[in-house]
Amino acid sequence: SSSSSSQRKQQMRHDQLFRLYLVFQEMKAAGVQADTAVYNTLINACAGSGDLDKALESLSSMRAEGLEPDGITYTLLIKACMLSLNNDHHDSHNAISNTVCVAEELFSAMQQRTNHFSTYIAPNELTYQRLIQTHWAALSLLQEEGEPSSSSPSSSSSSSSSS
């Protein structure tokens, strides 16, 4: 029953995310230009729903509109990696490894200098925290498959819905 309650909550989050994207589509249809803050809100909602694919899709849409991600964007995307691991959709070592690789690639991408204008974005404390939490979530999942894990660091208090 806790499993069905969890599934119900997940379905509600999915439905809410769908509604959020409907509002976003209405906004665009009305000719209102989305900015980085709007995309960050979408990506944060995807993270909260554990939907990494949708978060990455939003990043692609953002770039297609000529907007560049900022430090908040990258931190939220890494948060999406971490929360997608916590959502129990990963049933293989490959899926877990791929998610960690995505987080690492995002962390590297934010620090790239792409042209003579410096687009370097320095990771902040929260960015590092999200990356560490992603690795911890992966490690916990891999330990669950093998031997019982020791006590978890108190990441439950720090996995709040803030960026």
Side-chain angles (χ1 to χ4, degrees):
S1 58
S2 69
S3 160
S4 67
S5 169
S6 168
Q7 287 173 334
R8 231 182 354 264
K9 272 186 182 173
Q10 184 61 29
Q11 184 59 47
M12 288 170 65
R13 281 194 294 264
H14 176 77
D15 292 348
Q16 204 55 49
L17 187 61
F18 179 76
R19 288 186 191 98
L20 177 66
Y21 273 86
L22 286 178
V23 172
F24 178 66
Q25 292 304 323
E26 283 179 37
M27 182 186 101
K28 288 174 70 175
V32 178
Q33 187 66 39
D35 61 5
T36 303
V38 169
Y39 276 102
N40 285 347
T41 301
L42 292 174
I43 291 167
N44 194 32
C46 294
S49 295
D51 193 337
L52 177 57
D53 292 336
K54 192 76 174 164
L56 293 170
E57 191 181 299
S58 297
L59 174 65
S60 295
S61 299
M62 178 181 182
R63 285 186 165 141
E65 290 189 24
L67 296 169
E68 282 302 311
D70 60 14
I72 294 168
T73 311
Y74 284 109
T75 301
L76 291 170
L77 287 163
I78 294 169
K79 174 185 174 183
C81 293
M82 183 261 297
L83 291 175
S84 77
L85 285 170
N86 289 341
N87 255 355
D88 277 344
H89 292 313
H90 298 278
D91 49 0
S92 73
H93 290 289
N94 281 350
I96 295 166
S97 290
N98 288 345
T99 302
V100 172
C101 283
V102 169
E104 290 285 352
E105 286 167 13
L106 289 163
F107 186 74
S108 292
M110 78 182 288
Q111 300 172 74
Q112 294 303 311
R113 298 178 198 280
T114 55
N115 53 39
H116 62 284
F117 301 108
S118 177
T119 57
Y120 173 83
I121 301 170
N124 64 21
E125 183 182 338
L126 187 57
T127 311
Y128 283 107
Q129 181 184 18
R130 294 301 185 208
L131 187 61
I132 289 167
Q133 289 171 336
T134 301
H135 280 280
W136 176 254
L139 185 63
S140 298
L141 285 172
L142 292 170
Q143 284 179 334
E144 282 172 18
E145 291 178 5
E147 67 233 30
S149 71
S150 59
S151 64
S152 155
S154 59
S155 63
S156 58
S157 63
S158 59
S159 63
S160 66
S161 61
S162 65
S163 64

